Amino acid sequence: MNITTILDQIDMGSIALPEFQRGYVWNRDQVRGLMNSLYRRHPIGSLLVWETKTEQVIDHARGDGKLSMGSVKLLLDGQQRITSFYGIVRGRPPQFFDGNVQAFTGLYFNLEDEIFEFYAPVKMKDNPLWVNVTELMQQGVGIFIQRLLNIPELSLNLTTYINVLNKLEGIKNINLHIEEVAGEDKTVDVVVEIFNTVNSGGTKLSKGDLALAKVCAQWPDARSELKARLAKWNKAGFDFRLEWLLRCINAVITGEAVFSALKDVKTATFQDGLYKAEKAIDTLLNLISARLGLDHNRVLGGIYAFPLMVRYLVGRGGHLRDYTERDKLLYWYVHTLLWGRYAGSTESVLTQDLHVLESEDNPLDQLIANLRQNRGDLEIKAIDFQGWGMGARFYPLVYMLTRVHQAQDWDSGIELSKHLLGKHCYLQVHHIFPKSLLSKAGYPKSEVNAIANLTFLTQETNLKVSNRHPSEYFEAFETTQPGAIATHWIPMERRLWQIENYRDFLTARRDRLAQAANKFLNSLLAGDIPEPKATDSILEPEAESSTVVVPLAEERVLEECNVWVQEQGLPMGELMYEITDSLGTVSAVIDLAWTNGLQSGKSQPIALLIDANQEIEEAANRLGYRYFTDIDRFKSYVIQEVLAVDFPTVDDYKQAFIAISSQLTDSHKRMPKAHYHAPGQIITVTELAEAAGYEHFGGANLQYARIAELVANYLKYSPRQHDDSGKPFWSLMLASGYWKTLEDSEITSQREWQWQLREQVSQALEDLGWV
């Protein structure tokens, strides 16, 4: 069947995409490669479709497009190729599309060099040898021949160009071989097995993807139903992944960790498992929040203990026997979090622990005994608090102790527990010794951000403390709220409050934290902790989390970067990903990791390492990660290599600047000059305003965007749109931007927008002598 007919059948609903397929994942390099193969008439492989009665699969096709009456062909192998054809020929994605349209938008072909490239304004603008492939496919060769005829100097090669145009348009008529799966015996289940086998050599699907494909074959709404639960928990502050929920459901239904156990599960059974898993997870989140104070994503940790806890809870009818059983389960959970029980080979360890639930009369005792056997003992030592930053394993424990151990706010004296703190009162991470003072004194970042230097205060108190010397504000709060300082395990020896004795302060506080942690956890195991005051469910729609913690500056940057990646249509990375050694012990923590690459199965693992030491960099390199230590370089990699979004060249920018120079005021010209000379060519809008003589940063925002808009219009280039207004984000023509927490601020909510000058713009300004 030729390509034109295939595309027509997609429009008619005769060819569609099954729901169990994943979205479009190709990038521009792959699209160029496909078109180059087609142009040169190289083989690109056959397609595989499942031909069946429409009524049999009407609920199994992706998208809202209508299917043809009678029968329909569902595409099993060839989605990426067919979607690319469709996007280039039609100029829009098919109705079943789910991916990044930029991968096939703006493809051009050079009649002389016979190569495909994506649109570059200066190189291609008004050049008849560069042909818009989509325009050619839609309007035919006639208009292009006419353009060539209007240029006498091209007449000598006119015949060659016409032959090339006809060969290019002829791609539409290339026949592709289609293998068909048909017959009464080809049920949805059988077809999913075929799909999984065929795709095993292409884009790698995770075990969870394969399991979900099987489930979706029987219950097409499964994916959306699971995502609805994840959205509910996300709204409450917990960011779980679909595969994690699927693992919890699997544990409920089969008592197994491996997804292959779901192979023969019926739809009704799966739906019941989802219902029970959801209720158990709700119960556990409320329990962990109320009893341990771990009430948001950053401090929850140990989430792969949930499948076991969910299975345990469901096995008891959704209710624990009494407070001693409940606290013993929580004791086990906390220790799995602290020691990384499921940080390594999750499936094998979880399988071992799930089998304990079925084989032991007192499974909790055995689970705790297994932990103790692996660790030698479960006693927490002062050295365990030597980590630094919010990625440190014992950071959640400091937060938990603050929430459950009657720690008081230093200014108000109120206990920082959920039921006393109240709504609209936010906790913030506080550096006991201010970062600015420690950095000035020469302490390294690992000591500045040591978890023994962190505590939690209300936002109001944190603002009052700011970056004052601890010896000053400790004395002040000790006068107004006697004893409140000590509730945060602060050593009260005055000499330890001095900058020069900071390391001794850390040692003393680590000792106090270890003692408090052992006391609390041992009391939890023994059932000696009093019942907390009853609180509302944190999952209620009207409930507002009172303990949203503003992260450290480094954490804020990573989280914002992760959101940016998701906005590009790519998967979010895993924050604080743990690397384990052969014994399962955590050997390093990667700030932000994509273990399967940014395009699953098509790129190497990616890591972001912010201020990491050489040991962590070596560990990431050893494991095959491509790592970045700079946010902007990482974003450049995503744009230029993963998304292949091509910004104009240096020559493009030079020509644009020359063309618009008469429209630029002196204030306009001072801004790019100031940007060029800024340290690292990174500048804030406030600094741009100062350079241009504007009284307010709003004026600089508008005028910098005006320069960029003039450049974009000359080059006929459209940058991406603002997420809120849908209008072009013009300034992206000149720079890439991101939020950055102010380095000298103790209040991590104080941020400014940073602009990083694009390399092409920098070079163009330099070549023109404008800087």
Side-chain angles (χ1 to χ4, degrees):
M1 185 181 297
N2 67 47
I3 291 176
T4 297
T5 304
I6 292 172
L7 303 189
D8 289 341
Q9 291 208 2
I10 291 175
D11 290 334
M12 292 186 297
S14 298
I15 294 179
L17 193 69
E19 177 62 39
F20 51 76
Q21 278 264 33
R22 292 203 305 182
Y24 183 78
V25 298
W26 269 19
N27 57 35
R28 284 184 164 184
D29 283 338
Q30 290 165 302
V31 172
R32 275 193 296 252
L34 172 69
M35 295 302 291
N36 184 62
S37 294
L38 284 168
Y39 177 75
R40 303 186 188 289
R41 303 310 192 256
H42 295 165
I44 62 165
S46 61
L47 307 179
L48 178 65
V49 299
W50 170 31
E51 184 172 12
T52 187
K53 294 178 180 178
T54 301
E55 62 266 22
Q56 184 179 351
V57 293
I58 194 166
D59 293 328
H60 296 279
R62 177 172 295 177
D64 300 323
K66 292 183 178 180
L67 301 181
S68 61
M69 299 297 292
S71 64
V72 65
K73 296 181 175 70
L74 292 185
L75 194 60
L76 299 182
D77 186 38
Q79 177 202 170
Q80 309 300 321
R81 287 168 286 163
I82 291 299
T83 301
S84 300
F85 298 150
Y86 193 101
I88 291 169
V89 174
R90 295 285 193 262
R92 67 181 190 279
Q95 59 85 18
F96 54 68
F97 183 75
D98 179 15
N100 180 16
V101 296
Q102 292 178 321
F104 49 70
T105 302
L107 185 65
Y108 277 66
F109 181 80
N110 188 276
L111 299 180
E112 196 162 81
D113 298 330
E114 298 182 67
I115 58 172
F116 291 93
E117 288 188 19
F118 284 89
Y119 186 61
V122 172
K123 179 193 294 186
M124 301 177 186
K125 180 184 176 185
D126 299 327
N127 185 340
L129 295 180
W130 280 104
V131 173
N132 183 317
V133 179
T134 297
E135 186 181 3
L136 173 71
M137 295 297 179
Q138 293 180 351
Q139 299 187 28
V141 301
I143 62 170
F144 293 95
I145 294 175
Q146 187 59 51
R147 292 173 189 173
L148 295 172
L149 288 171
N150 292 334
I151 305 174
E153 55 266 32
L154 298 180
S155 59
L156 289 176
N157 294 320
L158 185 60
T159 301
T160 299
Y161 296 149
I162 293 174
N163 289 336
V164 169
L165 284 169
N166 285 321
K167 183 178 179 181
L168 179 60
E169 187 189 25
I171 287 176
K172 293 192 299 184
N173 299 316
I174 291 177
N175 284 309
L176 299 180
H177 179 68
I178 299 180
E179 295 280 355
E180 292 187 358
V181 174
E184 294 292 333
D185 62 320
K186 300 303 186 296
T187 63
V188 176
D189 290 347
V190 171
V191 169
V192 169
E193 293 297 332
I194 295 172
F195 165 76
N196 290 343
T197 301
V198 168
N199 278 276
S200 64
T203 300
K204 292 182 179 179
L205 303 179
S206 70
K207 295 176 182 177
D209 286 325
L210 297 177
L212 190 56
K214 173 75 173 178
V215 173
C216 285
Q218 300 180 27
W219 183 29
D221 293 334
R223 192 184 302 270
S224 60
E225 289 291 333
L226 266 61
K227 287 183 176 180
R229 272 65 171 187
L230 296 176
K232 177 185 75 172
W233 294 318
N234 181 267
K235 188 176 180 180
F238 300 100
D239 183 22
F240 300 130
R241 308 237 173 156
L242 192 147
E243 190 163 315
W244 170 87
L245 176 55
L246 194 63
R247 203 176 289 280
C248 289
I249 298 168
N250 187 27
V252 168
I253 297 173
T254 70
E256 299 290 341
V258 293
F259 287 119
S260 58
L262 289 171
K263 180 180 178 181
D264 298 318
V265 169
K266 303 298 182 184
T267 298
T269 303
F270 186 87
Q271 291 171 332
D272 181 63
L274 170 59
Y275 173 80
K276 290 177 178 177
E278 178 188 8
K279 294 302 179 185
I281 292 168
D282 287 350
T283 298
L284 289 167
L285 290 176
N286 280 315
L287 177 59
I288 291 170
S289 173
R291 196 66 169 154
L292 303 179
L294 303 179
D295 54 4
H296 64 280
N297 194 66
R298 173 55 66 208
V299 296
L300 186 65
I303 64 170
Y304 282 100
F306 269 71
L308 184 137
M309 293 192 292
V310 166
R311 171 76 178 184
Y312 185 83
L313 189 59
V314 170
R316 279 147 183 76
H319 303 283
L320 297 172
R321 182 181 65 251
D322 53 29
Y323 75 94
T324 58
E325 182 182 28
R326 175 200 62 199
D327 287 354
K328 187 177 291 186
L329 178 65
L330 292 178
Y331 173 87
W332 172 83
Y333 161 71
V334 171
H335 278 290
T336 65
L337 183 163
L338 295 178
W339 311 116
R341 173 67 173 169
Y342 301 111
S345 303
T346 301
E347 280 193 353
S348 60
V349 178
L350 187 55
T351 295
Q352 174 187 337
D353 289 348
L354 282 168
H355 288 171
V356 170
L357 297 186
E358 312 304 322
S359 61
E360 300 290 337
D361 294 332
N362 298 301
L364 289 182
D365 290 336
Q366 186 58 50
L367 289 171
I368 293 169
N370 289 347
L371 274 177
R372 187 171 284 114
Q373 182 178 2
N374 290 341
R375 289 288 312 165
D377 64 67
L378 297 180
E379 182 183 0
I380 294 169
K381 301 176 177 60
I383 195 174
D384 294 323
F385 288 94
Q386 276 194 320
W388 62 285
M390 293 172 71
R393 182 181 304 285
F394 277 70
Y395 168 83
L397 185 57
V398 177
Y399 181 80
M400 182 179 72
L401 293 175
T402 304
R403 303 280 279 123
V404 302
H405 221 280
Q406 292 79 53
Q408 300 172 20
D409 186 62
W410 294 340
D411 186 52
S412 65
I414 191 172
E415 289 185 12
L416 299 178
S417 55
K418 183 175 181 179
H419 64 279
L420 291 176
L421 195 58
K423 294 181 179 180
H424 309 296
C425 190
Y426 296 92
L427 288 185
Q428 290 190 334
V429 182
H430 171 68
H431 283 74
I432 300 167
F433 279 70
K435 292 190 292 183
S436 56
L437 297 181
L438 291 174
S439 298
K440 187 177 180 180
Y443 288 97
K445 197 158 195 171
S446 58
E447 292 185 343
V448 172
N449 287 330
I451 57 175
N453 190 36
L454 302 180
T455 194
F456 302 91
L457 299 172
T458 61
Q459 186 177 36
E460 184 178 0
T461 300
N462 205 17
L463 284 167
K464 285 184 178 181
V465 172
S466 187
N467 62 347
R468 293 160 62 189
H469 196 290
S471 63
E472 176 191 343
Y473 73 79
F474 278 172
E475 293 290 3
F477 287 131
E478 190 64 15
T479 300
T480 58
Q481 295 292 341
I485 294 289
T487 64
H488 290 246
W489 309 279
I490 304 294
M492 299 306 291
E493 299 90 331
R494 266 52 175 180
R495 73 173 189 84
L496 297 180
W497 298 355
Q498 301 302 318
I499 298 293
E500 61 269 22
N501 296 324
Y502 174 61
R503 291 191 176 98
D504 291 337
F505 168 86
L506 293 179
T507 298
R509 189 162 189 256
R510 287 174 186 136
D511 286 336
R512 286 164 173 75
L513 286 169
Q515 292 172 18
N518 286 317
K519 180 179 179 181
F520 172 75
L521 290 173
N522 290 336
S523 298
L524 199 65
L525 179 61
D528 295 337
I529 299 179
E531 285 291 306
K533 181 179 178 180
T535 59
D536 295 332
S537 168
I538 62 171
L539 301 173
E540 293 298 325
E542 65 275 9
E544 297 185 37
S545 175
S546 62
T547 54
V548 175
V549 175
V550 179
L552 299 176
E554 295 81 3
E555 297 296 318
R556 175 70 66 87
V557 168
L558 290 168
E559 290 176 354
E560 288 167 349
C561 180
N562 218 4
V563 171
W564 178 85
V565 168
Q566 187 179 42
E567 289 172 349
Q568 311 312 307
L570 298 169
M572 295 184 75
E574 186 172 344
L575 285 161
M576 305 309 159
Y577 178 76
E578 296 169 328
I579 297 176
T580 57
D581 59 22
S582 59
L583 299 177
T585 302
V586 176
S587 58
V589 177
I590 294 177
D591 294 327
L592 188 55
W594 288 264
T595 56
N596 293 317
L598 282 159
Q599 291 179 302
S600 183
K602 289 190 175 294
S603 62
Q604 69 188 104
I606 300 297
L608 256 177
L609 305 174
I610 306 301
D611 295 313
N613 58 37
Q614 184 178 353
E615 182 181 354
I616 294 178
E617 291 184 9
E618 290 175 352
N621 186 59
R622 186 171 59 252
L623 293 173
Y625 281 83
R626 178 172 181 174
Y627 66 86
F628 297 84
T629 58
D630 176 84
I631 295 287
D632 207 61
R633 290 189 181 278
F634 166 75
K635 289 185 175 181
S636 177
Y637 158 75
V638 173
I639 292 171
Q640 302 296 340
E641 296 190 36
V642 178
L643 299 177
V645 179
D646 302 317
F647 278 92
T649 65
V650 173
D651 287 339
D652 294 341
Y653 277 110
K654 286 165 64 176
Q655 292 190 33
F657 284 140
I658 293 171
I660 70 171
S661 60
S662 62
Q663 302 177 64
L664 300 181
T665 66
D666 289 341
S667 294
H668 282 149
K669 293 178 180 178
R670 284 196 290 267
M671 285 192 286
K673 183 175 182 179
H675 203 166
Y676 177 88
H677 289 290
Q681 298 190 331
I682 299 174
I683 200 169
T684 67
V685 182
T686 300
E687 291 166 340
L688 283 174
E690 292 173 355
Y694 297 114
E695 293 184 0
H696 190 264
F697 69 83
N701 255 335
L702 289 173
Q703 296 307 317
Y704 204 57
R706 175 57 180 161
I707 300 171
E709 183 179 1
L710 291 171
V711 171
N713 288 337
Y714 175 79
L715 296 175
K716 295 183 179 179
Y717 190 99
S718 296
R720 72 172 174 86
Q721 297 176 339
H722 281 280
D723 297 326
D724 51 356
S725 68
K727 297 179 180 179
F729 200 161
W730 296 116
S731 296
L732 291 176
M733 288 298 299
L734 303 178
S736 58
Y738 54 92
W739 285 107
K740 186 175 183 181
T741 303
L742 301 185
E743 286 293 337
D744 59 349
S745 173
E746 292 300 314
I747 310 304
T748 55
S749 57
Q750 294 182 355
R751 303 181 297 161
E752 271 202 289
W753 185 261
Q754 308 278 310
W755 282 117
Q756 169 78 59
L757 194 65
R758 296 199 182 281
E759 292 182 8
Q760 304 98 304
V761 176
S762 174
Q763 189 62 53
L765 293 170
E766 185 177 315
D767 290 351
L768 292 171
W770 286 19
V771 292

